[in-house]
Amino acid sequence: MTKTSNPDNWNHFASYLKQELAAVSLWPDFPPFAETTLVNPH
């Protein structure tokens, strides 16, 4: 059995997501929404 490191696992997962989500369109209004979710600790 071959052991893989966490960076290897994350790289594999990121590659998988990139491949699976390649055809998904992005919502143009999502970035403004996402910015409203940022937490300001002060």
Side-chain angles (χ1 to χ4, degrees):
M1 185 168 125
T2 304
K3 289 187 177 185
T4 57
S5 67
N6 280 337
D8 290 337
N9 289 333
W10 279 111
N11 288 337
H12 177 72
F13 182 58
S15 294
Y16 169 79
L17 286 179
K18 186 175 182 180
Q19 178 182 352
E20 293 297 313
L21 300 176
V24 176
S25 62
L26 298 177
W27 294 341
D29 57 344
F30 183 78
F33 162 76
E35 289 174 5
T36 67
T37 66
L38 297 175
V39 177
N40 186 351
H42 299 286

